[in-house]
Amino acid sequence: MTKADIVNWIIENKNVSLPKKDIADVVNRVFELIADEIVNGEDEHKIQISGFGTFVVKKRAPKIGRNPKTKEEKLIPERLGVSFKMGKKLQKALNGEKVGA
């Protein structure tokens, strides 16, 4: 699903009387806010969206990588990555369980 798909879904399913451009601006701003908080956030670089899940920045340890063609080994340095942990409601819905209010 793309951001454009989200905008179209909101227009088609949520009976919103805003222009498409305004909805697209809101969707884009939400993603910008999430990305900015992941990069610059002070709360351990963590974004928690109730009922959906949590995005957390995690440090990835350095490791040895290998070029599959040449078999040459190369050190991949330590880096940061984003991990996502599903919320309980989303986990239950994904597994076909009844989701409470």
Side-chain angles (χ1 to χ4, degrees), residues 45-62:
H45 299 284
K46 180 169 113 175
I47 302 261
Q48 185 173 353
I49 302 170
S50 297
F52 183 70
T54 306
F55 297 94
V56 181
V57 174
K58 291 189 173 184
K59 200 174 275 191
R60 309 277 189 225

Side-chain angles (χ1 to χ4, degrees), residues 56-92:
V56 181
V57 174
K58 291 189 173 184
K59 200 174 275 191
R60 309 277 189 225
K63 63 181 182 179
I64 301 291
R66 183 174 295 119
N67 181 328
K69 285 186 177 182
T70 64
K71 307 294 187 218
E72 177 185 355
E73 291 186 347
K74 182 178 182 180
L75 177 65
I76 299 172
E78 177 180 273
R79 65 209 186 280
L80 297 174
V82 176
S83 175
F84 177 75
K85 181 179 178 188
M86 275 189 280
K88 288 180 183 177
K89 282 184 179 180
L90 182 57
Q91 180 71 43
K92 285 182 178 183

Side-chain angles (χ1 to χ4, degrees), residues 10-29:
I10 291 170
I11 291 168
E12 293 168 6
N13 298 297
K14 297 302 174 188
N15 196 21
V16 178
S17 60
L18 294 171
K20 185 174 184 175
K21 183 190 179 310
D22 290 347
I23 295 170
D25 288 344
V26 170
V27 169
N28 284 324
R29 184 65 186 123

